[in-house]
Structures are given as structure tokens and as C-alpha cells.
Amino acid sequence: MSTPPQPQRRPVIRAVTFDEVGAAISRLLAIALPPTRAAETGASGKVADFLLAWWNGQDCGHFPILHLCNVDAVIAEDMVTIMAYLAQESTIYADAWGHRDAMADLWERWRA
């Protein structure tokens, strides 16, 4: 029995930059943390699930992959951008882009 070929890294994953991820996080936080509850959209909770699962999935809950199909394509693209970056880098979290306080606010709003 032959050994299956080893997976290859894909160019699209290597193409995601630190700055692109920072911009995606900022856009997603604006959706998940609108200035008022009245400003929330149906995507707000799904985006919060995504960000909080990345931040601390064990304590903050999981992100159902189907949420990618249930948000606007632009929002899903920001999520995929972050996931692609995570696939190429060692463990890194939103605070690497200066979002520690925003993530704490997100937890307070959606999980406390």
C-alpha cells in the first residue's frame, strides 16, 4: 500500500497578510459590537460567535461552520481571511492587532 501524498500549502493561504487580517478583525468587531442593541443585525451574533470561538472556544463557545453560509458574502470573506491567516501562522489572537479590550467588550456583551 502506497503512502498518500503530503498536503501542500496553497498560495491563497500564503497571500493573506497581517494588515489584511487586522482590517478584517476591525470590520467584524464593528458588526459584533454595534453602538446600540438596536443597531445589531442578524449577523452580529454569528460574527460574535466566530470571534469569541477564536478568542477562547472552550469558554466562549464554538462557531458553527454553517454560519459562513448565513452571513453576507463580504462578512464571510473577512472570516475566511482570518482563518487563512491562522492556517499559516502559529497561535495568534486578536490582541496581536490591538483588540484585547474590544474582545473583552465582546465577551461582556455576548457571553456574560
Side-chain angles (χ1 to χ4, degrees):
M1 180 176 219
S2 66
T3 304
Q6 294 298 312
Q8 300 288 320
R9 290 186 69 186
R10 305 296 190 267
V12 68
I13 293 174
R14 289 192 303 269
V16 177
T17 68
F18 184 88
D19 291 338
E20 289 169 323
V21 173
I25 296 167
S26 294
R27 288 188 296 269
L28 292 176
L29 282 168
I31 294 165
L33 283 171
T36 66
R37 284 282 194 190
E40 288 178 9
T41 69
S44 295
K46 292 171 181 66
V47 171
D49 285 347
F50 172 76
L51 292 170
L52 289 169
W54 172 30
W55 187 251
N56 182 344
Q58 185 172 353
D59 293 335
C60 296
H62 70 287
F63 173 73
I65 199 77
L66 196 55
H67 279 352
L68 287 171
C69 303
N70 295 319
V71 295
D72 292 340
V74 173
I75 295 169
E77 186 176 291
D78 280 340
M79 292 175 177
V80 170
T81 296
I82 294 168
M83 287 188 273
Y85 190 78
L86 295 174
Q88 73 184 17
E89 295 298 324
S90 59
T91 305
I92 190 167
Y93 298 97
D95 54 330
W97 290 269
H99 294 295
R100 178 179 288 281
D101 292 343
M103 292 302 294
D105 292 345
L106 188 67
W107 184 88
E108 225 12 81
R109 183 176 204 128
W110 291 97
R111 299 294 191 263

